[in-house]
Amino acid sequence: MENETLDLFVQAGRKRGKILISACLLGTPCRYDGKSKACPWIAKLTKYYDLIPVCPETMGGLKTPRDPAEIQEGRIRTQKGRDVTDNYQDGAYWALAAGKFKNVSLAILKENSPSCGVHFIHDGSFSGKLIPGEGVTAAKLRKNGFHLIDEEESKTLLEVLEKENGK
Ligand code: SF4
């Protein structure tokens, strides 16, 4: 994470700013497998921010649980071969709309997801291999001026804020 990006998030935390966040990181069981990806430190961020949860895949009309999907040459397909690109694009649209409605420009997104991945995504072979890249929603938010970090980077963010507050 660049220092400039960390600074933006820290400044927002000093004045109880708003952050868009992948809903599964907050504990919503909205992942393709019907589980969440709750991170204990994410809950602590509610001390410093108003967190606005979004799940682009369900906002785009996909059910939970659902077949896993990966990005393949610009399209998003499930492991069974169904093209779900429109759902992913609709979800990205609604996540951006939520951010704009709340006047937000910062987001913490779940790494490796074909929607939310910030630095890495799966390579499209459904073999678990990761490649540098970003999910559909991450790309749309970034293109519209959002600053993004993943869940691991948000741990560093929390450490900085807790240190400032003597914890
Ligand atoms: Fe989590 Fe994003 Fe996947 Fe929804 S689309 S389950 S918020 S990673």
Side-chain angles (χ1 to χ4, degrees), residues 21-25 28 30-32 35 54-58 66 110-111 113-117:
I21 187 158
S22 294
C24 58
L25 294 176
T28 305
C30 52
R31 274 167 44 98
Y32 73 94
K35 296 179 181 165
V54 291
C55 174
E57 289 172 25
T58 55
R66 53 189 170 275
K110 174 73 189 72
E111 193 61 284
S113 153
S115 288
C116 295

Side-chain angles (χ1 to χ4, degrees), residues 6 8 28-31 36 39 48 50 60 77 79-80 83 86 103 109 117 121 123 127 135 137-139 141 144 164:
L6 178 61
L8 284 169
T28 305
C30 52
R31 274 167 44 98
S36 78
C39 299
Y48 302 101
D50 288 336
R77 292 192 182 83
Q79 201 162 12
K80 291 178 182 164
D83 190 318
D86 284 353
N103 204 19
L109 299 179
I121 53 172
D123 72 350
S127 63
T137 293
L141 293 178
N144 282 273
E164 275 191 4

Side-chain angles (χ1 to χ4, degrees), residues 20 54-57 59-61 85-101 115 135-141 144 146:
L20 223 58
V54 291
C55 174
E57 289 172 25
M59 291 163 94
T85 307
D86 284 353
N87 299 96
Y88 275 64
Q89 288 175 343
D90 287 357
Y93 173 88
W94 288 119
L96 176 62
K100 283 188 170 174
F101 177 65
S115 288
V136 176
T137 293
K140 191 166 192 76
L141 293 178
N144 282 273
F146 270 71

Side-chain angles (χ1 to χ4, degrees), residues 104-156:
V104 181
S105 62
L106 305 175
I108 300 171
L109 299 179
K110 174 73 189 72
E111 193 61 284
N112 306 337
S113 153
S115 288
C116 295
V118 175
H119 308 294
F120 292 96
I121 53 172
H122 288 95
D123 72 350
S125 66
F126 295 94
S127 63
K129 191 176 168 209
L130 295 171
I131 53 171
E134 58 188 359
V136 176
T137 293
K140 191 166 192 76
L141 293 178
R142 209 190 295 272
K143 203 171 163 188
N144 282 273
F146 270 71
H147 300 272
L148 311 176
I149 60 174
D150 65 26
E151 66 273 26
E152 286 301 318
E153 291 169 324
S154 77
K155 197 191 276 185
T156 306

